[in-house]
Amino acid sequence: MKKILFAACGAMLLASCGGYSEDQGKAATDFCDCMEADAHGDFDINYFECDLELQSKYDNETFADEGWTEALDEKCPDVAAKMTDSE
């Protein structure tokens, strides 16, 4: 019984650390595409406009955990690097 309990707890722990969700991956791809379009010629303005677009398209839960930053790091590392450099 104890072995089953430990195995179940271990499986849940591993599943909770599983990276980003499908929605987070799609949102990161959309964000990267929007940023690459460079509609305004300024990183900060592009970021603000792309963020507004994503907030209206996806649930707030999509951006609520570290999965969002993992997805950004994987999908468009150059944009993610600029975001951390500007802070």
Side-chain angles (χ1 to χ4, degrees):
M1 183 68 175
K2 287 182 184 180
K3 290 180 183 180
I4 293 172
L5 180 62
F6 285 129
C9 289
M12 286 190 299
L13 179 64
L14 289 175
S16 68
C17 300
Y20 58 87
S21 69
E22 186 178 332
D23 280 345
Q24 288 171 328
K26 288 178 186 177
T29 300
D30 289 349
F31 185 76
C32 297
D33 292 343
C34 181
M35 291 295 290
E36 287 175 12
D38 197 23
H40 302 283
D42 181 88
F43 179 83
D44 293 330
I45 295 172
N46 288 333
Y47 178 86
F48 179 75
E49 293 295 330
C50 293
D51 188 52
L52 283 177
E53 182 180 318
L54 285 171
Q55 295 291 335
S56 67
K57 191 174 181 181
Y58 294 95
D59 288 335
N60 288 336
E61 293 174 3
T62 304
F63 314 103
D65 63 16
E66 68 276 353
W68 170 241
T69 55
E70 287 180 32
L72 280 179
D73 285 341
E74 183 179 307
K75 303 286 184 177
C76 50
D78 53 330
V79 172
K82 285 182 183 178
M83 287 170 46
T84 56
D85 288 344
S86 64
E87 292 178 353

